[in-house]
């Protein structure tokens, strides 16, 4: 048994998961350095290799240990925590990481804007220094969990007179501030998983800045790299994704089968299995070092296969494929895609090639950072942001 | 979950094979050889087999082999595919060797492992692992008669492992090629030859009968299909790498063509497909090495890598533009190899059909 496995075992013996108060259990897990073992001691970790985390998570899951609410994980665990760890001060580590891990404080991400999607660096939300604070004005969009979040990671423009990448700074924004207004953003499924967030004279203390003034782009890169890895590097069992749902339908409904659909299903199954193995290989490779651009490939393939499988599923349904379960506007904090109907999956997966980096942007990233191909010529690199055409 | 990364030993093996091939078998030499009467580079094969000991990788040490596994063989095949090297490694060190191993032979295997002899498997190259046992050769009074079309690497083989039907059913024999008639086919793939085999009352050495013969043949074809995926992977990687290099050096409209998204997005997709091919190929090699999950892993790798290799060669040709269409450029060697290999040892469609049974997705 490794030292780490022994530590987990000792922890579980001292804190039996059965009947434990979830928050108290997670606080103790954080304090023991078993939250994310690759973080340093005192920040929820033990300074262990990144890869060791998988075994620790598995051991806790196998023991039936309490976990934070799902809404805490996507942005908080996947993006905010590694960014705070990399760029935060000791005071910021102390204040934010523990309640983030326990899920007492949910996080959201204030990056995209109506005028800044793929070209995130052109964003227009302004932060102006006022004494010890910054005053923030602007509009953000596609914000998951904004209506449940206590904190947000925020990128805003602190200097419009320099080229777009240089004038950004990165902040931690209090979602309870009176100037923050959250409105649901209804999407093509009928639901509103996301929000629009309006920021009117929101005050952010300078102590809540991550990284230097003007270095917001560099900080945001850390967040975005982790976003793609969070999506792409998750180990899954065979038939673990949407293909499993399609395969179950196929097995349970012989009356829906046709020869043409059969070959398509098998092609999709092979493609899904290839993606699963690719992600598994990426996961094994993460044993050393930081997430690389390879995560972009997994995300790209994930979007393609999800869209193909869900389109297949609607066709497989035949007459039932004409129906849609429910257009009621809801604001879910988590969505179990497998329990929804194929029509919902068909519509929702259309977002997979847009959210978290469009497939086109991901192809650029792969081409430039993995293959070393030259960039497209850029007309905006040396122009002050305020002078860019828009 | 199987180990999908390369070990240090495997990386060292790759480096030594790549060094040898870049020295002895550059594409210019491969191309020059295609129109001679010696399409195979037997001197290179001798070096691979004897000096590097690669012919006996799968053979246990007590039979004079290296006692390695399918994982190491896969690494060698990746490099051979990358170089479209004209050597009979697939026929001899993979197909014939696997059949002999499964049939419990101890006579020819030491000779193959030592590189003294070369053999192949007497099946039509398109035969899938789940195909019915071939019945085109019959045995009467210990003598074999019949015809097997399109046998891979037969041109340079001294022995051929022949599936035949005797009075009591399936049999597997070792036959000396010199006692048979061999008719070469003009091949689509200039770097790997196929020939028809005709046997007219030829005597063979009986290896196995009944279920044992069937199982030995299936085992050889399964190993072959799973490891051919590694060769297809290496081929795809060469196509990707050389096309990326070309896109960086070719200028049109005052720019490197690799700066156009029309080019770079196709290459990004090809890189992603090649990365997935690598994962499926590694999984198949690991499955063959451990004996776990062999059926599904091999079918997935064979179905996936066959198509990726063809895609890679076709993309390489298109993205090279006019130069890719010329005889003097190597991409056509890769295209011919990729397209032929797609049919070999079971087409993607045949492997998907096999998969349907294995994973309970019936038609």
């Amino acid at each position: 048994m490794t030292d780490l496995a022994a530590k987990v075992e000792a922890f579980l013996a001292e804190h039996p998961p059965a009947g434990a108060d979830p928050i108290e259990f997670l606080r103790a897990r954080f304090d023991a350095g078993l939250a994310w073992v690759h973080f340093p001691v005192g920040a929820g970790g033990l300074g262990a290799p990144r890869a060791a985390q998988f075994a620790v998570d598995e051991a806790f899951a196998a023991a039936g240990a309490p976990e934070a609410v799902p809404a805490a994980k996507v942005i908080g665990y996947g993006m905010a925590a590694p960014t705070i760890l990399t760029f935060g001060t000791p005071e910021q580590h102390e204040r934010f990481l523990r309640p983030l891990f326990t899920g007492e404080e949910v996080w959201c991400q204030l990056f995209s804007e109506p005028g800044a999607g793929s070209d995130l660096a052109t964003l227009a939300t302004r932060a102006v220094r006022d004494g010890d604070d910054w005053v923030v004005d602007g509009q953000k969009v596609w914000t998951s969990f904004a209506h449940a979040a206590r904190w947000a990671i925020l990128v805003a423009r602190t200097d419009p007179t320099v080229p777009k990448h240089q004038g950004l700074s990165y902040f931690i924004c209090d979602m309870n501030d009176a100037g923050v207004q959250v409105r649901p953003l209804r999407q093509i499924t009928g639901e509103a998983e996301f929000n629009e967030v309006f920021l009117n004279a929101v005050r952010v203390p300078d102590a809540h800045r991550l990284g230097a003034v003007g270095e917001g782009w560099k900080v945001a890169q850390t967040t975005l790299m982790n976003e793609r890895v969070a999506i792409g590097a998750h180990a899954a069992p065979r038939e673990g994704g949407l293909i499993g749902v399609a395969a179950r339908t196929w097995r349970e409904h012989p009356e829906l089968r046709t020869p043409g659909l059969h070959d398509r299903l098998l092609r999709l199954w092979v493609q899904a299995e290839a993606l699963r193995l690719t992600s598994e290989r990426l996961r094994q490779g993460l044993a050393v070092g930081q997430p690389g651009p390879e995560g972009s490939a997994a995300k790209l393939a994930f979007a393609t296969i999800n869209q193909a499988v869900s389109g297949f599923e609607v066709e497989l349904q035949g007459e039932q494929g004409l129906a849609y379960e429910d257009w009621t506007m809801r604001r879910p904090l988590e969505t179990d895609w497998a329990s929804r109907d194929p029509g919902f999956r068909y519509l929702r997966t259309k977002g997979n090639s847009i959210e978290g980096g469009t497939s086109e942007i991901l192809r650029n990233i792969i081409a430039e950072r993995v293959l070393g191909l030259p960039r497209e010529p850029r007309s905006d690199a040396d122009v002050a942001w305020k002078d860019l055409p828009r | 979950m199987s180990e999908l990364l390369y070990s240090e030993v495997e990386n060292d093996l790759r480096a030594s094979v790549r060094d040898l091939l870049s020295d002895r078998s550059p594409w210019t030499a491969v191309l020059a050889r295609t129109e001679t009467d010696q399409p195979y580079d037997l001197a290179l094969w001798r070096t691979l087999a004897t000096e590097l000991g690669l012919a006996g990788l799968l053979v246990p040490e007590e039979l004079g082999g290296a006692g390695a596994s399918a994982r190491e063989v896969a690494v060698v095949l990746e490099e051979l595919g990358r170089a479209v090297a004209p050597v009979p490694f697939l026929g001899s060190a993979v197909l014939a060797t696997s059949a002999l191993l499964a049939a419990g032979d101890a006579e020819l295997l030491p000779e193959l492992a030592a590189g003294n002899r070369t053999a192949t498997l007497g099946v039509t190259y398109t035969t899938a692992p789940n195909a019915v046992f071939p019945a085109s050769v019959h045995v009467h009074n210990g003598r074999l008669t019949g015809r097997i079309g399109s046998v891979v690497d037969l041109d340079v083989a001294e022995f051929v492992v022949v599936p035949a039907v005797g009075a009591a059913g399936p049999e597997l024999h070792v036959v000396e090629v010199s006692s048979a008639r061999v008719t070469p086919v003009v091949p689509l793939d200039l770097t790997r030859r196929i020939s028809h085999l005709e046997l007219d009352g030829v005597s063979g050495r009986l290896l196995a009968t009944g279920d044992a013969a069937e199982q030995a043949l299936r085992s050889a074809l399964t190993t072959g299909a799973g490891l051919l995926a590694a060769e297809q992977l290496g081929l795809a990687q060469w196509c990707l790498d050389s096309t990326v290099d070309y896109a960086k050096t070719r200028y049109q409209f005052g720019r490197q063509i690799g700066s156009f998204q029309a080019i770079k997005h196709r290459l990004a997709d090809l890189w992603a497909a090649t990365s997935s091919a690598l994962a499926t190929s590694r999984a198949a090699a690991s499955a063959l090495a451990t004996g776990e999950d062999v059926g599904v892993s091999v079918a997935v790798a064979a179905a996936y890598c066959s198509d990726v290799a063809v895609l890679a060669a076709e993309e390489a040709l298109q993205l090279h533009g006019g130069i890719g269409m010329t005889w003097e450029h190597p991409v056509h060697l890769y295209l011919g190899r990729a397209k032929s290999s797609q049919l070999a040892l079971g087409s993607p469609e045949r492997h998907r059909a096999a998969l349907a049974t294995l994973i309970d997705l019936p038609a």
Side-chain angles (χ1 to χ4, degrees):
Chain A
M1 186 185 292
T2 63
D3 284 359
L4 210 46
K7 278 202 173 72
V8 173
E9 191 164 287
F11 179 89
L12 288 167
E14 201 182 325
H15 302 86
D21 175 69
I23 300 294
E24 288 303 330
F25 182 92
L26 290 166
R27 284 177 180 160
R29 181 175 164 186
F30 183 93
D31 295 341
L34 296 169
W36 22 60
V37 295
H38 53 293
F39 279 31
V41 173
L46 295 167
R50 188 186 179 95
Q53 182 65 28
F54 295 115
V56 171
D57 284 340
E58 278 166 17
F60 274 99
E67 293 188 30
V69 292
K73 291 187 177 172
V74 182
I75 309 292
Y77 284 29
M79 292 174 241
T83 312
I84 292 169
L85 177 75
T86 308
F87 293 97
T89 61
E91 294 73 25
Q92 289 168 336
H93 292 171
E94 174 82 15
R95 167 62 190 85
F96 293 114
L97 289 175
R98 193 171 183 250
L100 184 160
F101 176 71
T102 62
E104 291 164 271
E105 293 180 344
V106 170
W107 287 68
C108 67
Q109 175 188 326
L110 298 175
F111 279 24
S112 295
E113 298 181 4
S118 290
D119 186 9
L120 182 64
T122 198
L123 61 85
T125 292
R126 284 280 279 129
V128 178
R129 187 70 185 250
D130 180 26
D132 287 338
D133 290 346
W134 295 83
V135 178
V136 182
D137 285 277
Q139 181 186 350
K140 297 289 183 175
V141 74
W142 297 114
T143 313
S144 330
F145 314 115
H147 53 301
R150 175 69 179 80
W151 299 104
I153 42 178
L154 164 73
V155 185
R157 186 157 306 281
T158 45
D159 186 355
T161 67
V162 294
K164 61 181 184 179
H165 291 95
Q166 297 164 30
L168 300 171
S169 301
Y170 197 114
F171 301 97
I172 294 168
C173 175
D174 184 348
M175 292 297 284
N176 290 350
D177 188 284
V180 176
Q181 192 197 359
V182 177
R183 292 184 204 158
L185 181 65
R186 199 176 186 199
Q187 68 213 46
I188 63 169
T189 58
E191 297 184 336
E193 279 175 77
F194 302 94
N195 299 277
E196 295 180 285
V197 177
F198 297 84
L199 305 165
N200 291 306
V202 174
R203 297 196 80 84
V204 176
D206 190 52
H208 285 184
R209 176 167 41 80
L210 283 175
V213 174
E215 292 202 344
W217 184 249
K218 191 174 95 181
V219 183
Q221 289 304 301
T222 299
T223 307
L224 295 172
M225 268 308 167
N226 278 285
E227 175 175 25
R228 279 162 203 152
V229 168
I231 292 170
H234 188 71
R238 188 173 277 167
E239 289 194 7
L242 294 188
I243 191 68
V245 181
R248 271 196 298 284
T249 306
W250 185 269
R251 290 179 189 122
E252 288 164 8
H253 295 280
E255 76 281 6
L256 299 176
R257 298 174 192 165
T258 71
L261 287 173
H262 188 233
D263 191 54
R264 260 176 73 196
L265 175 62
L266 291 170
R267 284 173 189 271
L268 291 169
W269 198 95
V270 169
Q271 210 182 325
E273 176 67 2
L275 173 59
R276 185 184 76 87
L277 292 167
T278 309
S279 299
E280 175 58 18
R281 188 164 191 278
L282 181 66
R283 199 179 71 85
Q284 292 180 8
L286 276 173
V288 282
Q290 287 294 307
E294 288 83 359
S296 299
K299 201 265 177 191
L300 180 63
F302 168 85
T304 307
I305 186 76
N306 277 358
Q307 292 172 354
V309 170
S310 60
F312 167 85
E313 268 196 279
V314 173
E315 288 174 68
L316 176 61
Q317 296 288 317
E319 183 189 340
Q320 190 56 36
L322 298 171
Y324 190 77
E325 57 177 324
D326 186 3
W327 291 108
T328 306
M329 151 74 179
R330 293 196 180 85
R331 301 177 79 180
L333 281 176
E334 55 173 323
T335 306
D336 175 18
W337 293 9
S339 70
R340 307 296 292 271
D341 77 1
F344 172 86
R345 283 191 285 279
Y346 175 68
L347 295 175
R348 181 59 187 83
T349 56
K350 288 286 169 265
N352 290 166
S353 53
I354 301 168
E355 58 201 344
T358 66
S359 290
E360 289 68 30
I361 291 293
L362 295 178
R363 289 188 181 95
N364 281 352
I365 290 172
I366 292 167
E368 291 165 13
R369 300 197 200 154
V370 181
L371 302 178
L373 290 167
R375 304 182 70 108
E376 291 262 325
R378 306 187 75 148
S379 57
D380 59 356
D382 301 319
V383 181
W385 176 82
K386 65 183 175 55
D387 298 327
L388 290 174
R390 62 173 64 81
Chain B
M1 192 66 224
S2 57
E3 173 62 55
L4 301 177
L5 305 175
Y6 296 101
S7 71
E8 214 167 298
V9 173
E10 288 162 357
N11 284 329
D12 289 347
L13 175 63
R14 176 192 307 289
S16 62
V17 177
R18 188 176 293 190
D19 277 354
L20 178 73
L21 292 174
S22 67
D23 182 37
R24 296 270 296 276
S25 195
W27 69 263
T28 44
V30 177
L31 178 62
R33 187 176 285 283
T34 57
E35 290 185 292
T36 69
D37 57 3
Q38 292 190 325
Y40 283 91
D41 187 343
L42 293 179
L44 174 65
W45 169 233
R46 201 66 59 205
T47 306
L48 287 165
T50 57
E51 283 176 33
L52 296 188
L54 302 183
L57 280 177
L58 286 174
V59 179
E61 287 176 22
E62 57 268 28
L63 292 176
S69 79
R71 288 179 59 97
E72 290 81 12
V73 177
V75 169
V76 172
L77 277 163
E78 284 175 33
E79 292 307 310
L80 293 174
R82 181 179 272 277
V84 285
V87 291
F89 185 88
L90 182 72
S92 193
V94 179
L95 290 170
T97 296
S98 298
L100 291 164
L101 280 168
D105 169 79
E107 201 177 314
L108 183 54
L109 275 174
E111 294 293 300
L112 297 186
N116 298 334
R117 300 289 186 182
T118 300
T120 191
L121 182 63
V123 294
T124 300
Y125 191 37
T126 51
T127 309
N130 66 343
V132 295
F133 194 85
S136 66
V137 175
H138 285 82
V139 189
H140 292 292
N141 302 324
R143 297 202 166 255
L144 286 73
T145 303
R147 179 182 180 280
I148 304 168
S150 302
V151 177
V152 70
D153 290 341
L154 182 63
D155 282 23
V156 287
E158 293 149 297
F159 294 92
V160 55
V161 179
V162 176
V165 178
E171 295 179 5
L172 219 48
H173 292 258
V174 175
V175 169
E176 285 191 42
V177 176
S178 60
S179 66
R181 184 187 306 170
V182 174
T183 314
V185 174
V186 177
L188 177 66
D189 176 4
L190 290 161
T191 61
R192 172 172 282 153
R193 301 287 159 152
I194 50 174
S195 309
H196 303 316
L197 176 74
E198 281 172 89
L199 304 169
D200 187 8
V202 169
S203 64
R205 176 167 65 86
L206 183 63
L207 272 178
T209 59
D211 287 349
E214 285 196 79
Q215 278 171 24
L217 181 64
R218 196 176 307 122
S219 168
L221 292 169
T222 302
T223 302
L227 289 174
L228 182 60
E231 189 190 278
Q232 290 164 328
L233 165 66
L235 185 154
Q237 285 173 328
W238 181 90
C239 291
L240 173 66
D241 292 350
S242 62
T243 309
V244 167
D245 287 346
Y246 183 71
K248 289 175 184 171
T249 50
R250 169 80 172 171
Y251 280 75
Q252 292 285 276
F253 304 99
R255 291 162 60 177
Q256 292 149 287
I257 62 167
S259 68
F260 291 101
Q261 289 186 349
I263 307 287
K264 71 205 308 187
H265 284 193
R266 287 172 75 154
L267 288 169
D269 282 335
L270 186 57
W271 177 82
T274 306
S275 301
S276 286
L278 195 165
T280 63
S281 167
R282 278 277 87 185
S286 292
L288 288 166
T290 61
E292 287 168 30
D293 197 31
V294 172
V296 172
S297 300
V298 167
V300 167
Y304 194 83
C305 296
S306 291
D307 286 346
V308 169
V310 171
L311 173 72
E314 291 178 353
E315 289 290 86
L317 199 158
Q318 173 65 21
L319 297 180
H320 274 84
I323 191 74
M325 200 62 201
T326 63
W327 185 263
E328 285 75 20
H329 191 277
V331 73
H332 69 100
L333 300 175
Y334 290 83
L335 184 66
R337 172 69 73 86
K339 195 65 190 170
S340 293
S341 299
Q342 190 183 33
L343 314 180
L345 304 173
S347 65
E349 196 244 333
R350 291 296 299 267
H351 285 288
R352 287 194 294 271
L355 203 50
T357 307
L358 294 169
I359 61 175
D360 184 31
L361 289 176

